[in-house]
Amino acid sequence: MSLLTSENILLFSFALIIIAFLYSSVGHGGASGYLALMSIFAFPVSVMKPSALLLNLFVSSISFLFYYKNNYFKPKLFYPFAIASIPAAFIGGFITLDNAIYKIVLGIVLVFAALRLFGVFNFKEKEEVKINLPFALAIGFAIGLLSGMLGIGGGIILSPILLFLGWASVKESAAISSLFIFVNSFAGMLGFFLGGKTIPMESFYLVPIAIVGGMLGGFYGSGSFSNRTLKMVLGTVILMASVKLIFP
């Protein structure tokens, strides 16, 4: 991996596996974690966005398969968000933000992701409430646009919303978020390609590493796995990365 010195390759690879494992265990693709990690290791912005989208495609699909297999996926809760988010993510994929703006916006999103891992947005399950279709479409569009622009899947934002509004249980929100992340990442990647950009070769080197963590996380997460210590450590790392992005 030409972007890393030889002594940093093992450290980066280990951290990538941990991130993929933890995010996959809760039904996420891990883009916010990957972006934070790449920021810490001084990856250029031109590599960060496509790499995060690519890794999201693999890890979120693996996570979804495990949750689907355990019957946590509810299509009626997924479609309203996906219908609006897919075209929005496609549009977002076309948009190339100025490097300075990209880092600030990404840094703000990473603060949200870190707080999520610290448990700030871990809302308790409520009695099931009927979904509000216009509101769900609006949420899907907003998350999709942000996802395409930054190279995230949006699950880190969608899942706490589902729990807060009482539209899904914890496991159901994980299943919905994982597929939501996949379709948004795919749409964002398509917009990225049609915008005349290509994925750097370095991005593909990261895929098999992330798949290992994703498979382990999906297997344990769809069961009864929970590891608060890992979440605290990862949340701290992401928070540090967000500060680095916002205040270089």
Side-chain angles (χ1 to χ4, degrees):
M1 234 177 294
S2 60
L3 294 176
L4 298 174
T5 60
S6 56
E7 58 267 24
N8 284 336
I9 290 177
L10 286 178
L11 179 60
F12 180 88
S13 299
F14 178 73
L16 183 60
I17 289 176
I18 294 298
I19 291 170
F21 170 81
L22 182 56
Y23 274 79
S24 178
S25 71
V26 293
H28 294 164
S32 55
Y34 309 141
L35 289 167
L37 183 64
M38 287 185 278
S39 172
I40 290 172
F41 280 85
F43 277 54
V45 171
S46 60
V47 174
M48 290 170 63
K49 178 177 175 178
S51 296
L53 286 171
L54 183 65
L55 296 180
N56 253 6
L57 285 173
F58 285 93
V59 177
S60 63
S61 61
I62 292 170
S63 181
F64 172 72
L65 289 175
F66 279 106
Y67 278 96
Y68 180 82
K69 182 180 178 182
N70 285 279
N71 299 314
Y72 289 116
F73 180 64
K74 286 190 174 182
K76 67 178 182 179
L77 294 177
F78 168 74
Y79 294 135
F81 298 102
I83 288 171
S85 71
I86 291 173
F90 176 77
I91 295 170
F94 269 105
I95 300 172
T96 301
L97 298 175
D98 175 81
N99 282 0
I101 295 175
Y102 176 86
K103 289 181 178 181
I104 291 173
V105 176
L106 176 59
I108 293 171
V109 172
L110 290 184
V111 169
F112 182 92
L115 294 176
R116 173 85 168 89
L117 288 168
F118 289 143
V120 175
F121 302 110
N122 287 351
F123 302 106
K124 295 181 179 179
E125 293 183 20
K126 299 180 180 180
E127 185 175 345
E128 187 172 336
V129 176
K130 185 177 180 180
I131 190 171
N132 182 312
L133 183 57
F135 191 27
L137 290 170
I139 291 171
F141 184 87
I143 297 176
L145 186 63
L146 187 64
S147 299
M149 287 192 297
L150 297 181
I152 63 174
I156 198 75
I157 302 173
L158 178 61
S159 56
I161 290 176
L162 289 172
L163 293 173
F164 175 73
L165 295 175
W167 290 348
S169 68
V170 172
K171 297 287 186 180
E172 289 168 352
S173 70
I176 295 164
S177 293
S178 58
L179 187 57
F180 181 81
I181 290 166
F182 177 84
V183 298
N184 277 341
S185 298
F186 184 83
M189 186 71 78
L190 185 60
F192 183 80
F193 279 135
L194 293 180
K197 306 177 189 69
T198 58
I199 301 178
M201 185 56 65
E202 289 86 356
S203 301
F204 293 98
Y205 298 154
L206 308 178
V207 171
I209 302 171
I211 286 177
V212 173
M215 291 186 68
L216 291 172
F219 175 76
Y220 286 106
S222 60
S224 57
F225 175 80
S226 177
N227 194 319
R228 181 170 175 78
T229 301
L230 273 180
K231 290 182 179 181
M232 293 298 102
V233 172
L234 181 55
T236 301
V237 171
I238 291 177
L239 194 58
M240 290 170 59
S242 68
V243 172
K244 180 181 178 183
L245 285 165
I246 298 172
F247 306 103

